Every structure is written in structure tokens, then in C-alpha cells.
Amino acid sequence: MTVQQQPQAFLKSNPGQEPVLVEGLFRADPGRVFRAFTEPDEVRCWFVPKSGGLVSAEIDLQVGGRWCFVIEKTAEKQIHFEGEYLAIEAPNRLEFSWRHVQEYADGTREATDTSRVSVTFTEVGKATEVKLRHEAIKTEDARRGVGGGWNGCFGRLADLVVPRNG
């Protein structure tokens, strides 16, 4: 079996390990990267690890405020991530709860147990080091999925926040 290192560029924890640790150095100031995490128009551009974007992003950026990122919406069901903001220290720190939810047209709802995401934004010269810790994910398979998802999202985030003029 061949081990591929490239897809693991931002994922620092072993796949499936608790907690999921993702880190990246982005060529932008902390305020710019923080905005990418907290403004709906920005989040829609990078939050999905594959091509395309979110169907919608709603953010109530205050402690206790809710967020909801819809990744798929059809007549039969909606798939989204949701949670509440637990700590906000712009532009240096963000913490929020996290659930993966499927809602069906008949009103039934399936949601994962709540996990927790902590993100720090630290200025390093002319760049920002982002450290993300996603913890309390119940199963190894879910941790693998979350780790792969964050890894892909960080790649798209890097493309979004790099200054246009070099």
C-alpha cells in the first residue's frame, strides 16, 4: 500500500485519532483569516472541501449565537452543519459547537452528537498560523471524515485569503 502525504498537508493528527488537529500557515493577517471563518460570503467560498460551495451560510457571531452551513438541499432532504458560538476573541480565537445534521421532508431529523471546535489565529511575520482542534467526535470513522474535510477546506481557505498582488 502506498502512503500519500500530499492530501495530509494540513491534517496534523493521525487519521481517525481524537482529537482532530489541523494546522496551516496562511499568507494574510489574522483579521483577514478570522473574517474568512466568520463572514457568510467568505465561508461559502471555502468551507466545502471539493469544488463548488455551500448552498447557504448563516452566522450570528456572538457568544451563544447560532451558525448553520447548508451543504446540500433537495426536495427530499437538507444536509448541514450547525452549532453555537462558545467563545469569540476577534481576531485571535474562535470556539463553537458542531453537529452534522440531515433533515428530511417529513420533518425527521438525524444529528450527530455535539462536538467542539477551537481555532486560534496567531500572527507569524506577514502570515497567520491557524490551529484548529476538533474534539469529542464519537467514532473513528467520523474523525477520519472530519479530518479529511478540514484538510480539504484548509486548502481552499489558503486560495481564498492569499493576497491578489503576491
Side-chain angles (χ1 to χ4, degrees):
M1 184 163 81
T2 306
V3 176
Q4 295 180 343
Q5 293 298 337
Q6 185 59 26
Q8 304 284 329
F10 299 102
L11 183 62
K12 301 303 177 192
S13 53
N14 290 325
Q17 178 182 317
E18 167 73 7
V20 173
L21 302 173
V22 185
E23 297 178 8
L25 190 63
F26 300 92
R27 289 183 23 201
D29 66 79
R32 172 68 184 100
V33 183
F34 187 88
R35 282 192 309 277
F37 270 78
T38 57
E39 293 182 3
D41 288 343
E42 298 273 322
V43 170
R44 278 197 297 271
C45 294
W46 69 270
F47 191 76
V48 178
K50 299 178 186 121
S51 62
L54 293 172
V55 173
S56 66
E58 296 175 13
I59 294 174
D60 180 12
L61 191 62
Q62 60 181 332
V63 173
R66 297 181 50 79
W67 63 271
C68 180
F69 302 161
V70 177
I71 56 174
E72 180 184 322
K73 188 171 188 172
T74 66
E76 295 81 34
K77 71 178 176 179
Q78 173 176 295
I79 301 172
H80 66 265
F81 299 105
E82 67 178 26
E84 297 82 36
Y85 288 101
L86 307 171
I88 302 166
E89 297 170 17
N92 304 112
R93 188 168 149 260
L94 196 59
E95 285 188 31
F96 48 93
S97 62
W98 172 285
R99 284 176 297 282
H100 179 255
V101 179
Q102 293 188 58
E103 291 182 289
Y104 297 91
D106 66 5
T108 58
R109 175 181 161 104
E110 297 172 5
T112 61
D113 290 332
T114 301
S115 57
R116 182 184 189 109
V117 179
S118 304
V119 190
T120 59
F121 307 85
T122 306
E123 191 168 5
V124 178
K126 294 184 178 183
T128 300
E129 179 182 53
V130 177
K131 290 187 175 184
L132 182 143
R133 177 185 180 99
H134 195 151
E135 58 193 322
I137 303 168
K138 298 290 184 198
T139 68
E140 181 179 342
D141 281 350
R143 289 189 294 269
R144 285 180 183 277
V146 165
W150 279 120
N151 186 67
C153 286
F154 267 45
R156 294 195 65 195
L157 176 63
D159 292 340
L160 176 69
V161 300
V162 168
R164 299 287 182 242
N165 300 351

